[in-house]
């Protein structure tokens, strides 16, 4: 069976070192590199990111889009979707490092349930940081409550989710009036449209947010 083709969308704002780690993680992906593109959306940051992307030009197919003003991750992600060329979208953040099997795991779930919004598991990449540990505990409790039934889930964060591009656009994309919690609003709207959500705990990203 043909591998799904992904457009991986990463939004970033003034975190070039974190972005470099995220791109390095994607360069280590075990997924065929010809089957995914990476779209980085600079949400009005003050530091040029071209040198960061240049470090990976032979490893991954990466494109940089810049918004002149900081308009928030919802609008930035939608800008990335506008430029996406592939059938499936995969979202993560600049302070996340996907495991090498991340796209492979998402692909398995999407091939099994192509109509679903698929969300993966996020783990704390800074286990010795008490603030990060507390934040991860909250996320784990939320996922345990909202995704107790993996094939009928209710909430995924935008640092680890994937969806068919046409279904995402058909549901109206992210509401850019939200500068936070756009993922919560989109998941609610997705379910209101009668669509299902499926949890993929084997699709893992490490969240490295020192808070």
């Amino acid at each position: 069976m043909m591998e799904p083709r992904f457009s991986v969308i990463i939004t970033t704002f003034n975190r070039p070192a974190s972005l470099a780690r995220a791109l390095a993680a994607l360069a280590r992906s075990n997924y065929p590199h010809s089957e995914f593109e990476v779209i980085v959306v600079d949400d009005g940051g003050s530091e040029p990111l071209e040198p960061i992307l240049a470090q990976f030009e032979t490893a991954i197919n990466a494109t940089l889009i810049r918004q002149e003003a900081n308009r928030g991750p919802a609008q930035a992600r939608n800008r990335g979707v506008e430029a996406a060329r592939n059938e499936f979208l995969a979202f993560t953040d600049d302070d996340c490092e996907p495991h090498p099997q991340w796209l492979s795991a998402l692909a398995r779930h999407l091939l099994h349930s192509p109509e679903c919004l698929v969300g993966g598991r996020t783990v704390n990449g800074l286990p010795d940081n008490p603030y990060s540990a507390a934040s991860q505990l909250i996320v784990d409790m939320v996922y345990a409550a909202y995704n107790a039934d993996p094939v009928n889930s209710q909430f995924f964060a935008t640092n680890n989710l994937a969806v068919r591009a046409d279904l995402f656009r058909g549901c109206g994309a992210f509401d850019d009036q939200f500068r936070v919690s756009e993922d919560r609003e989109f998941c609610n709207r997705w379910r209101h449209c009668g669509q299902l959500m499926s949890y993929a705990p084997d699709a893992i990203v490490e969240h490295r947010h020192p808070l």
Side-chain angles (χ1 to χ4, degrees):
M1 186 175 292
M2 295 287 291
E3 291 95 346
R5 293 177 63 85
F6 285 99
S7 294
V8 179
I9 297 171
I10 303 175
T11 64
T12 187
F13 178 67
N14 284 341
R15 292 195 290 210
S18 292
L19 175 64
R21 289 192 292 269
L23 294 175
L26 288 169
R28 296 190 293 270
S29 174
N30 69 358
Y31 204 70
H33 286 207
S34 61
E35 302 304 306
F36 71 92
E37 63 176 350
V38 180
I39 301 171
V40 176
V41 184
D42 181 2
D43 189 21
S46 59
E47 301 186 45
L49 298 181
E50 287 82 0
I52 301 295
L53 270 72
Q55 299 175 33
F56 302 96
E57 61 183 357
T58 62
I60 52 177
N61 174 18
T63 301
L64 176 64
I65 298 172
R66 177 172 171 78
Q67 295 192 149
E68 292 305 319
N70 178 240
R71 302 186 184 279
Q75 186 173 120
R77 290 190 179 98
N78 288 341
R79 284 287 304 277
V81 172
E82 290 173 4
R85 298 176 294 176
N86 291 330
E87 180 184 6
F88 290 93
L89 308 171
F91 297 93
T92 191
D93 287 343
D94 63 354
D95 60 355
C96 291
E97 297 178 30
H99 282 196
Q101 300 82 15
W102 179 60
L103 285 175
S104 297
L106 291 174
R108 284 194 299 272
H109 287 267
L110 287 165
L111 285 171
H112 182 264
S113 304
E115 307 294 319
C116 283
L117 180 69
V118 173
R121 180 162 60 99
T122 302
V123 299
N124 182 16
L126 299 173
D128 295 329
N129 182 315
Y131 306 105
S132 299
S135 178
Q136 184 63 51
L137 180 61
I138 294 170
V139 171
D140 291 344
M141 293 177 67
V142 168
Y143 269 49
Y146 282 91
N147 305 324
D149 181 357
V151 297
N152 189 25
S153 296
Q154 300 178 55
F155 171 71
F156 301 133
T158 36
N159 62 7
N160 190 354
L161 64 82
V163 64
R164 255 177 47 190
D166 61 333
L167 295 179
F168 176 83
R169 295 180 177 115
C171 197
F174 294 114
D175 187 337
D176 60 18
Q177 295 182 81
F178 288 82
R179 291 188 67 92
V180 296
S181 299
E182 78 287 343
D183 42 14
R184 178 66 179 271
E185 189 279 332
F186 182 79
C187 289
N188 287 346
R189 180 157 35 95
W190 177 267
R191 287 174 55 83
H192 185 72
C193 290
Q195 302 282 28
L196 293 177
M197 299 169 58
S198 178
Y199 183 41
D202 50 338
I204 300 170
V205 301
E206 292 188 12
H207 190 200
R208 295 178 177 268
H209 190 357
L211 298 176

